């Protein structure tokens, strides 16, 4: 999955910031190219497992074609930062079956609400993206009803979040705004979903944003302030259900990730062999069991590692039957010159494809949506001058 690499001593931030951003952008270009190929494959009759396998293959091909010169004799690690997931209708996320799973036979039907979610990294700098596609929708036959409501809610919420993740703002501002946007479309964010700060080899950093928290989650959740030079992966998941609650169902977990902070000496020989393979192939990033050599042995070996929190599962959760979940995920950098979107805009979404009868009425949020992601120098200068004039008066 990812090529192994040796850890180099960290260099001073200033000298590497531009190079790091280039790696993020290169990874994002690869992700965008993969999505451009996957979206047209989301047709009636397509098998979900084929789309997942194809996505991972394309990420590997894309990352395999760049950064092939060794740096000081060390290969640059690169590969999958998040395995391709194809979650349909009320499946929230992380659905990527194995050939041996009963759900491997699942195919797409006309009108299915399909979430594509995947990521690539170069030297540990990851770009992760997700978007929502509706099978068979066209401008002549657009998406309507609750499916349209939930997609419009998710798209607007992502656009609002993008403009609120800026230096000096707090995580709760994003949580509250996403709630408001979802409510305008009579929808709810999926409870407890997290967006995390990123770093080299880290896509689930300690600073986080939570969507639609329960009372208990609210109490324990840390307030954080966005700071310059941070990179964030923002995950917007909206449900057409009444409360945004999701639960586990009969679907086997296939995506796992090594926990960087936990150490434990595994007892079983199989567990040690599987864990070693995970470290070689995936490093710090999530992986699908599919990438490991022996699937049965992998399932067995991972049990002990999960039990002792060496590896964490990305469980497949579902909102109630008959509801729909829409998702958009973007990666954004808070650069000194202002916020910069690392990932590309969605490939599939266009307003003419999704016709909801509901719309955003909140004047503050509507105004926010008219603003560019980063202010132009002229606008900044004018704001500064106006502020000084007001003081003088």
């Amino acid at each position: 999955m990812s090529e192994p690499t040796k850890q180099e001593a960290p260099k001073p931030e200033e000298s590497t910031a531009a190079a790091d951003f280039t790696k993020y952008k290169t990874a994002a270009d690869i992700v965008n190219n993969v999505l451009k190929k996957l979206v047209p494959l989301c047709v009636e009759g397509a098998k979900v497992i084929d789309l997942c396998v194809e996505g991972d293959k394309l990420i590997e091909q894309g990352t395999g074609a760049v950064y092939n010169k060794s740096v000081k004799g060390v290969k640059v690690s690169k590969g999958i930062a998040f395995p391709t997931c194809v979650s349909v209708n009320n499946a929230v996320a992380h659905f990527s079956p194995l050939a041996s799973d009963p759900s491997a036979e699942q195919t797409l039907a006309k009108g299915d609400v399909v979430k594509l979610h995947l990521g690539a990294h170069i030297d540990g700098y990851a770009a992760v993206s997700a978007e929502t596609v509706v099978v068979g929708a066209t401008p002549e036959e657009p998406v309507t009803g609750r499916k349209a409501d939930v997609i419009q809610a998710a798209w607007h919420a992502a656009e609002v979040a993008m403009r609120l993740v800026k230096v000096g703002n707090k995580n709760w501002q994003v949580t509250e705004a996403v709630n408001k946007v979802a409510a305008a479309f009579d929808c709810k964010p999926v409870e407890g979903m997290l967006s995390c700060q990123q770093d080299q080899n880290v896509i689930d950093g300690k600073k986080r944003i939570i969507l639609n928290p329960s009372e208990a989650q609210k109490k324990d959740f840390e307030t954080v302030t966005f700071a310059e030079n941070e990179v964030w992966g923002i995950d917007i998941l909206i449900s057409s259900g009444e409360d945004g609650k999701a639960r586990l169902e009969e679907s086997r977990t296939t995506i796992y990730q090594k926990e960087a902070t936990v150490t434990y000496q595994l007892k079983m020989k199989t567990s040690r062999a599987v864990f070693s393979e995970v470290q070689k192939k995936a490093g710090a990033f999530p992986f699908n069991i599919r990438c490991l050599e022996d699937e049965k042995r992998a399932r067995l070996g991972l049990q002990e590692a999960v039990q002792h929190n060496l590896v964490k599962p990305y469980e497949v959760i579902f909102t109630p039957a008959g509801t729909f979940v829409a998702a958009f995920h973007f990666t954004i950098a808070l650069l000194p010159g202002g916020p910069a979107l690392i990932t590309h805009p969605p490939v599939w979404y266009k307003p003419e494809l999704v016709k909801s009868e509901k719309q955003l009425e909140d004047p503050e949020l509507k105004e926010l949506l008219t603003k560019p992601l980063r202010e132009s120098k002229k606008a900044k200068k004018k704001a500064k001058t106006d502020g000084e004039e007001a003081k003088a008066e």
Side-chain angles (χ1 to χ4, degrees), residues 236-309:
I236 301 296
L237 291 139
I238 307 289
S239 162
S240 65
E242 284 172 24
D243 54 12
K245 286 188 189 301
R247 61 183 185 278
L248 288 167
E249 281 183 17
E250 287 300 302
S251 189
R252 300 173 83 189
T253 300
T254 56
I255 294 173
Y256 296 84
Q257 182 185 7
K258 183 169 81 75
E259 280 281 20
T261 54
V262 179
T263 51
Y264 172 78
Q265 188 56 51
L266 291 163
K267 305 285 184 281
M268 285 167 60
K269 190 180 173 187
T270 308
S271 306
R272 290 198 297 272
V274 170
F275 190 65
S276 164
E277 190 186 355
V278 164
Q279 285 177 299
K280 278 197 194 96
K281 286 188 170 162
F285 291 100
F287 62 92
N288 191 310
I289 290 180
R290 203 186 298 118
C291 81
L292 303 177
E293 246 167 68
D294 183 329
E295 186 194 303
K296 263 190 179 166
R297 187 185 77 147
R299 279 225 182 265
L300 183 68
L302 282 170
Q303 276 176 3
E304 190 189 356
V306 169
Q307 239 168 6
H308 295 281
N309 302 318

Side-chain angles (χ1 to χ4, degrees), residues 3-5 23 67-71 74-78 122-124:
E3 294 166 22
T5 183
K23 288 171 186 169
Y67 284 86
N68 287 319
K69 279 186 182 167
S70 294
V71 179
V74 180
K75 270 186 175 179
V76 174
S77 74
K78 52 207 168 85
I122 304 290
D123 196 19

Side-chain angles (χ1 to χ4, degrees), residues 146-185:
R146 293 303 280 149
K147 293 175 187 178
D149 294 344
V150 78
I151 294 168
Q152 286 286 19
W155 187 82
H156 282 88
E159 289 288 315
V160 163
M162 214 175 271
R163 289 160 174 79
L164 288 175
V165 178
K166 54 194 266 189
V167 176
N169 278 2
K170 292 193 163 39
N171 52 350
W172 292 113
Q173 290 170 259
V174 179
T175 305
E176 284 157 23
V178 170
N179 265 343
K180 276 186 191 170
V181 174
F185 293 90

